[in-house]
Amino acid sequence: MARLLRGMCALGARELGLGAEPRCCRSFSSGGWEPPGSPGSLGRAESRRRRAGLAWAAGAAAVLAGLGLAQRAEMARRQSQPREEAEAGGEDELARRCERFMAAPVSGLGALRSRRGEMRSRMELLIMETQGQVCRALAELDRGASFTVDRWERKEGGGGISCVLQNGEIFEKAGVNVSVVFGHLSEEAAQQMRSRGKMLKAKDGKLPFCAMGVSSVIHPKNPYVPTIHFNYRYFEIEEADGSKQWWFGGGTDLTPTYLNEEDAVHFHKTLKEACDQHNPELYPKFKKWCDDYFYIKHRGERRGVGGIFFDDLDSPSKEEVFQFVQSCAKAILPCYIPIVKKHCHDTFTPEEKLWQQIRRGRYVEFNLVYDRGTKFGLATPGSRIESILMSLPLTARWEYMHSPPANSREAKILEVLRQPKDWVH
Amino acid sequence: MARLLRGMCALGARELGLGAEPRCCRSFSSGGWEPPGSPGSLGRAESRRRRAGLAWAAGAAAVLAGLGLAQRAEMARRQSQPREEAEAGGEDELARRCERFMAAPVSGLGALRSRRGEMRSRMELLIMETQGQVCRALAELDRGASFTVDRWERKEGGGGISCVLQNGEIFEKAGVNVSVVFGHLSEEAAQQMRSRGKMLKAKDGKLPFCAMGVSSVIHPKNPYVPTIHFNYRYFEIEEADGSKQWWFGGGTDLTPTYLNEEDAVHFHKTLKEACDQHNPELYPKFKKWCDDYFYIKHRGERRGVGGIFFDDLDSPSKEEVFQFVQSCAKAILPCYIPIVKKHCHDTFTPEEKLWQQIRRGRYVEFNLVYDRGTKFGLATPGSRIESILMSLPLTARWEYMHSPPANSREAKILEVLRQPKDWVH
């Protein structure tokens, strides 16, 4: 089966024709599932700061999605098509836009057409587009590699598309996952949301919901190329009176093995610019939230040098938050790709690779012990485990009492992980 | 610091003079901390079957112990001394018995002498003895390796001794940890025990407790040598009227990369014989408890081929349970060492090593996601993280959608992990 899968990877590559694809430029991207830890929002959502659980449930939506059967995706042929034109245009433009995705949209073209103006359709297009753009950009950089594309369905409604590149020249393991799920909230999930402050009035005991997101973790081989993680997600619940509660969540963060201050500044600066287009208060708030969330408590370390993180974002308006999320998604490639290009051919020693492996161990610790999306997914019967755990690195290491020498480069990054810095002012 | 530690390892080896030590024969051994999952006991403890939390707290005792400063242990010289004589004998015998330990007993020789007949002293000697015997047996097999011995203290009372061998010829990573902690139960811990059925009457709001255990995980290099885990522990709480609640917990279980039925039968048979000396009902009950506890729910797999697991054992009498625990501890080396010797020079391919690494990934998943002792330890501020996480393998691997071909040897062990077998009847 492992061999079979590898075969399928090669097939995926051929179908995608990724090597021949023109460079994926800084078109936008967006993404998936990850829970909150401390809050923040665009404005009046400030008052909902403490709805962590509900935000978490939202974050876990894409994980929830991981139910059902994995199927081989039929890859659509792609054509060059500027996004703006596609968004503004008619049915042909929509179809052309979909052709650039890694697989047909989860909801199907017909459903997306019939509710074109609705946020759930616009967000689904955004996350599908992000997945396609990120996958193409990575495959273009890593010419020896290709993505496995798995389409899976959720019995209760919806499904997802998992794209994974493994053991490439540049990327050790890169996963970009989309999920779009809908149905009725389980009593447990509804209780959980209520217990955390969400007022939910069920109709005949039922709460229809729709949750979607794109999430990704990219682990490169070279210890001088950092790991990136991003996710952007949207949650909608219909109440008894037909009104809808909705919110967005997401973030992008960087995990280097060695500190390169220039890279950290570039990364944060790009995110800050994306945030500042909407409100200058957002970046500092979401930067701090990110530092707080990606905290490996038992180590007293952050997972990486941070980035932005937010959840439960439901103000000032659905349109404004969507525009903000879209800007964040657009920033993913310009945040990261220049750093990959800069370092992917850096030489490194076995000792440097070893330090990377130890840091990967910490990555595993965070994801399995603290990440609420992962924990929720693992605890949900019938979840698609492989989509949840594709965030784990290919390899990791735990050495008893490992502690780098004072003033070493290994000690230098630990300092920053223990005491987060402000990278841009 | 990593280099420094390696230096210390070598020093430890010289101090121990392990290479020159005569074979550590099948003398007994015991061990540490691990929580329950489903219950069982010698007889009337049957009625307490559902006190999982309390049992868990007991299991986590050694983790609790992981507070304070790690210090270099001064290794005592060892002399050959039959255990029976030492246990029966006077002060000299006690001192000689202690000389075979990896470090001076946590409570100190004076304290052990002054309360020689008490269970806490007898159990401390048992766990220290077990640690010494297991470490010597491993070091004797792996002549190129040596144990780092760290002694650490807990501010509130007690401490521990962590022995770790890393990157040997035969063993990739082997940790044997002893902890002996005492003081007053935190309100949180007491509440937790009460909430799970334990009646605890505090004196002036205080509940003096004493908890101790030995725990060990041994990961060999060769994929044909299985990983073993064992732990044996004792918990005591003093109530307002001066009476004491007490219980024992423990277990030994095996995690092979490839199934060798003969080895599994040998392992289980040795454990069954140890149990049967006390009550023929014990092995079947504790075998099932082990299969239930070491369950990676999200994978639908057990961690390994099981063994025995029990907790909250407080009947028929303190003496009888201690004798049972002692028999289990004695069985550790005869359970495992013959399997190591049989396979440690087996040839293996890179593909077989890769499968081992994938199984190591599952080991990490179990320990970080499910193991209650680990989770409790990580959540306890000030825990000695390195002692808790020494159970993790040196290296591990996660491949997206890895699934072995049908009828392969990889698929064969998966079958047994998904559907546990009865190895002895």
Side-chain angles (χ1 to χ4, degrees):
Chain A
M1 173 64 169
R3 242 164 279 150
L4 177 64
L5 269 172
R6 270 174 227 125
M8 297 202 300
C9 290
L11 181 70
R14 277 198 303 278
E15 286 179 46
L16 275 165
L18 285 168
E21 185 61 15
R23 168 166 314 177
C24 180
C25 57
R26 328 171 133 225
S27 45
F28 82 81
S29 31
S30 94
W33 52 268
E34 203 88 4
S38 88
S41 81
L42 277 174
R44 60 187 155 84
E46 187 74 19
S47 62
R48 304 203 183 178
R49 279 199 145 209
R50 292 293 154 202
R51 296 186 307 177
L54 146 175
W56 162 53
V63 173
L64 260 173
L67 307 171
L69 207 66
Q71 296 174 348
R72 226 34 243 141
E74 194 68 34
M75 270 310 301
R77 266 146 287 128
R78 290 150 299 109
Q79 296 174 15
S80 182
Q81 172 81 355
R83 179 186 153 264
E84 292 70 17
E85 185 192 326
E87 194 161 68
E91 299 202 350
D92 287 352
E93 286 76 13
L94 187 65
R96 275 203 292 277
R97 199 176 165 196
C98 289
E99 283 174 356
R100 292 181 61 80
F101 299 165
M102 295 300 282
V106 177
S107 301
L109 199 55
L112 290 178
R113 270 190 184 127
S114 70
R115 40 165 207 253
R116 179 175 310 187
E118 291 178 32
M119 186 51 74
R120 56 192 286 181
S121 298
R122 296 170 69 198
M123 185 66 176
E124 183 169 342
L125 289 171
L126 177 63
I127 61 181
M128 289 298 301
E129 202 149 36
T130 301
Q131 183 185 48
Q133 289 167 340
V134 171
C135 289
R136 279 198 302 279
L138 300 183
E140 200 207 341
L141 279 175
D142 201 334
R143 291 183 174 271
S146 57
F147 276 90
T148 297
V149 182
D150 284 321
R151 187 186 187 86
W152 45 267
E153 284 170 15
R154 180 173 173 264
K155 208 172 55 185
E156 299 82 356
I161 295 138
S162 293
C163 301
V164 179
L165 178 163
Q166 213 165 249
N167 234 335
E169 290 290 314
I170 292 175
F171 301 106
E172 189 171 281
K173 194 172 172 192
V176 192
N177 191 40
V178 152
S179 63
V180 179
V181 300
F182 47 88
H184 293 98
L185 272 193
S186 70
E187 190 43 45
E188 197 186 340
Q191 275 300 342
Q192 205 169 47
M193 287 187 184
R194 286 196 187 96
S195 74
R196 312 250 189 167
K198 202 86 178 164
M199 293 295 129
L200 295 174
K201 289 173 223 105
K203 187 162 68 180
D204 305 329
K206 286 184 172 175
L207 280 166
F209 83 99
C210 170
M212 61 185 67
V214 52
S215 71
S216 173
V217 179
I218 299 160
H219 295 290
K221 281 190 166 165
N222 192 309
Y224 288 104
V225 186
T227 289
I228 192 176
H229 159 253
F230 66 85
N231 78 89
Y232 291 93
R233 59 188 175 272
Y234 174 64
F235 208 102
E236 222 178 67
I237 299 180
E238 195 181 322
E239 292 196 272
D241 61 1
S243 67
K244 279 178 183 158
Q245 290 212 34
W246 58 268
W247 63 94
F248 290 86
T252 303
D253 65 279
L254 197 74
T255 306
T257 294
Y258 286 100
L259 183 63
N260 180 306
E261 301 212 354
E262 200 180 73
D263 295 346
V265 169
H266 163 80
F267 186 80
H268 277 268
K269 203 163 161 269
T270 312
L271 289 173
K272 184 178 185 297
E273 282 164 7
C275 294
D276 286 355
Q277 289 171 39
H278 301 271
N279 184 333
E281 288 174 14
L282 297 183
Y283 170 76
K285 191 185 288 180
F286 297 162
K287 190 268 184 196
K288 183 179 182 310
W289 198 346
C290 189
D291 286 337
D292 291 344
Y293 179 76
F294 293 103
Y295 183 53
I296 309 172
K297 203 178 165 192
H298 61 267
R299 299 281 188 186
E301 298 169 3
R302 274 82 203 159
R303 189 175 74 173
V305 297
I308 55 168
F309 184 92
F310 60 91
D311 210 330
D312 198 23
L313 210 54
D314 58 2
S315 69
S317 71
K318 203 188 269 186
E319 184 58 34
E320 282 169 280
V321 183
F322 178 67
Q323 293 297 331
F324 166 68
V325 166
Q326 198 166 276
S327 294
C328 293
K330 271 188 189 178
I332 296 167
L333 293 178
C335 257
Y336 186 55
I337 298 298
I339 299 175
V340 179
K341 286 183 173 168
K342 188 174 154 194
H343 297 293
C344 65
H345 300 299
D346 286 4
T347 55
F348 58 88
T349 65
E351 289 72 26
E352 287 159 353
K353 186 72 186 170
L354 191 137
W355 174 241
Q356 180 202 53
Q357 293 297 298
I358 287 170
R359 297 311 309 167
R360 294 264 156 95
R362 305 294 164 95
Y363 209 92
V364 172
E365 288 177 28
F366 179 83
N367 286 21
L368 294 183
V369 178
Y370 298 105
D371 187 75
R372 279 167 290 186
T374 304
K375 284 165 75 176
F376 185 78
L378 295 184
T380 301
S383 289
R384 189 170 192 265
I385 297 305
E386 290 294 335
S387 295
I388 297 165
L389 295 185
M390 76 184 189
S391 66
L392 299 181
L394 192 62
T395 53
R397 186 177 182 94
W398 284 269
E399 286 198 7
Y400 175 70
M401 294 290 279
H402 186 279
S403 177
N407 303 318
S408 63
R409 284 174 313 127
E410 290 79 8
K412 196 176 170 192
I413 184 139
L414 276 180
E415 260 174 52
V416 170
L417 300 177
R418 286 171 185 159
Q419 197 61 51
K421 275 181 71 168
D422 283 330
W423 297 103
V424 279
H425 300 280
Chain B
M1 175 61 170
R3 243 165 279 152
L4 178 62
L5 268 171
R6 269 174 227 126
M8 296 203 301
C9 288
L11 181 68
R14 277 197 303 277
E15 287 180 45
L16 275 163
L18 285 167
E21 186 61 14
R23 169 165 313 179
C24 179
C25 57
R26 332 169 130 225
S27 46
F28 83 80
S29 30
S30 93
W33 51 268
E34 204 88 3
S38 86
S41 81
L42 277 174
R44 60 187 153 83
E46 187 74 20
S47 63
R48 305 206 182 175
R49 278 198 146 210
R50 294 293 154 201
R51 296 184 309 177
L54 146 173
W56 161 54
V63 173
L64 260 172
L67 307 169
L69 207 65
Q71 295 175 347
R72 220 48 236 135
E74 195 66 36
M75 270 310 302
R77 266 146 290 126
R78 289 151 297 109
Q79 295 175 16
S80 183
Q81 174 81 358
R83 181 185 150 263
E84 291 71 16
E85 185 193 326
E87 196 163 67
E91 298 203 350
D92 286 351
E93 286 76 12
L94 187 65
R96 275 203 292 275
R97 201 175 163 195
C98 289
E99 284 176 356
R100 293 180 60 82
F101 299 165
M102 295 300 281
V106 177
S107 302
L109 201 55
L112 290 178
R113 271 190 184 129
S114 71
R115 40 166 206 252
R116 178 177 308 189
E118 290 178 32
M119 186 52 74
R120 56 191 287 182
S121 298
R122 295 170 70 199
M123 185 66 177
E124 183 169 342
L125 290 172
L126 177 63
I127 61 180
M128 289 298 302
E129 201 148 37
T130 301
Q131 183 184 50
Q133 288 166 340
V134 171
C135 290
R136 278 197 303 278
L138 300 183
E140 199 208 340
L141 280 175
D142 202 334
R143 291 183 174 270
S146 56
F147 276 90
T148 297
V149 182
D150 284 319
R151 187 186 188 86
W152 45 267
E153 283 170 16
R154 179 173 175 265
K155 208 172 54 185
E156 299 81 356
I161 295 140
S162 294
C163 300
V164 180
L165 176 164
Q166 213 164 247
N167 234 336
E169 290 289 315
I170 292 174
F171 301 106
E172 188 171 282
K173 194 172 170 190
V176 192
N177 191 40
V178 152
S179 64
V180 179
V181 300
F182 48 87
H184 293 96
L185 272 194
S186 70
E187 188 45 43
E188 197 186 340
Q191 274 301 339
Q192 205 168 46
M193 289 186 183
R194 286 195 188 99
S195 74
R196 313 248 187 169
K198 203 85 177 165
M199 294 295 130
L200 295 174
K201 290 174 223 101
K203 187 162 69 182
D204 306 327
K206 287 185 173 176
L207 281 164
F209 82 99
C210 171
M212 60 185 68
V214 53
S215 70
S216 172
V217 178
I218 299 160
H219 295 290
K221 280 190 166 166
N222 191 309
Y224 288 104
V225 185
T227 289
I228 192 177
H229 159 252
F230 67 84
N231 77 89
Y232 290 94
R233 59 188 176 273
Y234 174 65
F235 208 101
E236 222 178 67
I237 299 180
E238 194 181 324
E239 293 196 272
D241 61 2
S243 67
K244 278 178 185 160
Q245 291 212 32
W246 58 268
W247 62 94
F248 289 86
T252 303
D253 64 280
L254 197 73
T255 305
T257 294
Y258 287 100
L259 182 63
N260 181 307
E261 300 211 355
E262 200 180 76
D263 294 347
V265 169
H266 163 80
F267 186 79
H268 277 268
K269 201 162 162 274
T270 312
L271 289 173
K272 183 176 184 298
E273 283 165 5
C275 294
D276 286 355
Q277 289 171 38
H278 302 269
N279 184 334
E281 288 174 12
L282 298 182
Y283 169 78
K285 191 184 288 180
F286 297 163
K287 191 267 185 197
K288 184 179 181 310
W289 197 347
C290 189
D291 286 336
D292 291 345
Y293 180 75
F294 292 104
Y295 183 53
I296 309 172
K297 201 178 166 191
H298 61 268
R299 300 279 187 186
E301 297 168 3
R302 273 84 203 157
R303 189 175 73 174
V305 297
I308 55 168
F309 184 91
F310 59 91
D311 211 331
D312 197 25
L313 211 55
D314 58 1
S315 68
S317 72
K318 202 187 271 185
E319 183 58 33
E320 281 168 281
V321 183
F322 177 67
Q323 292 298 332
F324 166 68
V325 166
Q326 197 167 277
S327 293
C328 293
K330 268 189 191 180
I332 295 167
L333 293 178
C335 258
Y336 187 56
I337 298 297
I339 300 176
V340 179
K341 285 183 176 168
K342 188 173 153 194
H343 298 291
C344 65
H345 300 300
D346 285 3
T347 56
F348 58 88
T349 66
E351 290 72 26
E352 288 158 353
K353 186 70 186 170
L354 190 136
W355 174 243
Q356 180 201 54
Q357 292 298 296
I358 288 170
R359 297 309 312 168
R360 293 265 156 96
R362 306 293 166 94
Y363 209 93
V364 172
E365 288 177 30
F366 179 83
N367 286 21
L368 294 182
V369 178
Y370 298 105
D371 188 76
R372 278 167 291 187
T374 304
K375 284 164 76 176
F376 185 78
L378 295 184
T380 303
S383 289
R384 189 170 191 263
I385 297 305
E386 291 294 334
S387 295
I388 297 165
L389 295 185
M390 75 183 191
S391 66
L392 299 181
L394 192 62
T395 54
R397 186 177 182 94
W398 285 268
E399 286 199 7
Y400 175 69
M401 295 289 281
H402 187 279
S403 177
N407 303 318
S408 63
R409 284 175 310 128
E410 290 80 8
K412 195 175 169 192
I413 184 142
L414 276 180
E415 261 174 51
V416 169
L417 300 177
R418 286 171 186 159
Q419 198 62 50
K421 275 179 73 168
D422 283 331
W423 298 102
V424 280
H425 299 280

